Amino acid sequence: MQILQKYIQTVIKIFKIKDLRGKILFTAFIFLIFRIFAFVPVPGVDLQSLKKLFSESQLLSLLDIFSGGTLANFSVMSLGLNPYINASIIMQLLQLVFPKLEELAKEGESGREKITQYTRYLTVPLTVIQAFGMYILLRNSKIITTVAPLTLLSLVLTMTAGTILLMWLGELISQRGIGNGISMVIFAGIVGRLPIGIFQQVSVFDPTQLRNALIFVVMAILVTISIVIVTEARRPIKVHYSRRASNQAATPVTSYIPLRVNQAGVIPIIFAVSLILLPTTFARFFERSPSVFIANFAQDIQRLYDPNGILYNVTYFLLVVAFTYFYTSVAFNTKQISEMLMKQGGFLPGIRPGSTTKSYLDYVSLRITLFGAIFLGLIAILPSIGQSLTGITTLLIGGTGLLIVVSVVLETSKKIESLLVMKDYDLFLRKN
């Protein structure tokens, strides 16, 4: 009861602060615009056949999660932020290849703004390519029957404009709202689908499956708790700095490098699922080939990579682990950190600066990342585990969607907490 009362008092305190209240209301307004556009469909598409297609493909279902349910409705924002996310990933990889981009990223706010602008430019052609690919998929699936050039042009332009609009809305949230705009838009899309998912589960609920439903609820709670623990887990690495005081005596200053257990976030799952489902996605295009050999080969691939099969889940798990290590090496650049410590006069206790510090950071990072990689791998294959135990299928509670929701809630709550602390500090200074 006291916890609930404290929570209510915190909410009242938040809405009493004008700036914070304005940020929250602006974010809610952007959410409303996003959800309205999510139900504005592109003409000429059989929505019933489209939903059936999505129910048969986990790749499309996962893409639908990131689009906030707009892809299954084939709305004007049907591609969601997927092209922008892909462009961001490509730009991060290009920084490893082109030294000029790496130097630009080190220039501070101005450099990051230029890279963001390049990401926007790259998003446009990626959106056009993905829109055309979606058209080909729907045409081969007999969902779109017209192939007129004007129809194709209008469809591609509409989907491209929708993605650019959604990207702009996300940036508005980052500038004038609360939290990271891109993450908040994805969060809004997932949460927006939650009432429909709950209604569907309740409408088909069988009282004889009460035991499985309870197992499902317990699994969802345990997964949420584990995501919170792993997301918040840190391995602090102590750093000493030598500072000179006015009397010329050395004054040691201690700080910490907060090494996160999960440095990569949900990115490895996105990479892995795109790769593991490519064979079955292409096989769908050839399963009706006039060639008996090609048709049988396509059917064999789909059978081998059945989402509920052992081969699929083992391969998926290993890919997530591999991509976690890859992306962590990009996000936590031990060479840059060791060089920065040397320039700032910092050192790790008992570790020589330079290459020895880099080796030590690599050693600690590899050990910490192993646990985070295994955790992400289990989260990725959790839908199959949950379905085998309970018979209930829902991709949202399965892992990726829940991981995004919990991560965004934690990040946003920290942002609000920091703004509250800052406001209290300003009031304290004014009184004194």
Side-chain angles (χ1 to χ4, degrees), residues 102-255:
E102 185 178 2
E103 293 174 2
L104 194 62
K106 296 179 181 179
E107 291 181 2
E109 188 65 29
S110 60
R112 286 193 293 269
E113 181 60 32
K114 289 182 180 179
I115 290 180
T116 302
Q117 189 66 24
Y118 296 155
T119 304
R120 297 191 191 108
Y121 294 150
L122 183 59
T123 301
V124 176
L126 288 179
T127 307
V128 172
I129 293 172
Q130 291 190 26
F132 183 75
M134 184 57 63
Y135 171 80
I136 296 297
L137 175 62
L138 297 183
R139 191 187 65 180
N140 292 343
S141 302
K142 307 300 182 182
I143 295 175
I144 294 180
T145 56
T146 58
V147 292
L150 185 60
T151 302
L152 173 60
L153 180 62
S154 62
L155 184 143
V156 171
L157 289 179
T158 300
M159 296 174 72
T160 303
T163 294
I164 300 304
L165 174 61
L166 188 57
M167 181 178 65
W168 179 62
L169 293 177
E171 293 183 355
L172 284 179
I173 293 178
S174 298
Q175 295 171 6
R176 301 178 55 185
I178 193 78
N180 179 277
I182 303 301
S183 300
M184 293 296 286
V185 169
I186 298 175
F187 167 82
I190 296 174
V191 174
R193 299 177 62 210
L194 192 58
I196 298 176
I198 294 176
F199 176 76
Q200 290 175 345
Q201 293 294 337
V202 172
S203 62
V204 298
F205 179 73
D206 184 358
T208 60
Q209 298 295 320
L210 180 61
R211 175 176 171 273
N212 290 339
L214 291 176
I215 295 176
F216 175 80
V217 172
V218 171
M219 284 182 60
I221 295 174
L222 292 177
V223 169
T224 303
I225 294 174
S226 64
I227 290 175
V228 173
I229 293 174
V230 174
T231 302
E232 294 295 293
R234 301 289 190 276
R235 173 27 169 114
I237 300 177
K238 185 180 292 187
V239 180
H240 287 332
Y241 295 91
S242 294
R243 293 289 183 267
R244 291 284 179 179
S246 58
N247 58 0
Q248 300 300 316
T251 305
V253 178
T254 302
S255 181

Side-chain angles (χ1 to χ4, degrees), residues 88-106:
S88 301
I89 294 171
I90 291 173
M91 288 302 301
Q92 290 177 351
L93 295 176
L94 289 178
Q95 292 177 29
L96 301 176
V97 179
F98 298 100
K100 289 186 178 180
L101 286 177
E102 185 178 2
E103 293 174 2
L104 194 62
K106 296 179 181 179

Side-chain angles (χ1 to χ4, degrees), residues 19 24 48 60 76 81 101-102 110 274 294 297 349 365 399 411:
D19 294 342
I24 294 176
Q48 295 298 326
L60 295 177
V76 294
L81 290 168
L101 286 177
E102 185 178 2
S110 60
S274 301
I294 295 178
F297 182 70
S365 178
E411 179 184 352

Side-chain angles (χ1 to χ4, degrees), residues 12-22 420 423:
I12 295 174
K13 183 179 180 181
I14 288 173
F15 279 90
K16 283 183 177 180
I17 301 175
K18 183 179 179 180
D19 294 342
L20 190 54
R21 181 176 68 248
L420 287 174
K423 192 66 177 180

Side-chain angles (χ1 to χ4, degrees), residues 58 216 219-224 226-227 269 308 313 316-317 375-390 392-400 402-403:
Q58 282 200 6
F216 175 80
M219 284 182 60
I221 295 174
L222 292 177
V223 169
T224 303
S226 64
I227 290 175
I269 296 180
N308 295 320
N313 286 283
Y316 190 12
F317 177 85
F375 174 77
L376 285 180
L378 292 175
I379 288 293
I381 64 174
L382 194 60
S384 298
I385 299 175
Q387 184 176 357
S388 62
L389 292 177
T390 65
I392 300 176
T393 305
T394 170
L395 192 59
L396 174 60
I397 302 299
T400 304
L402 188 58
L403 179 61

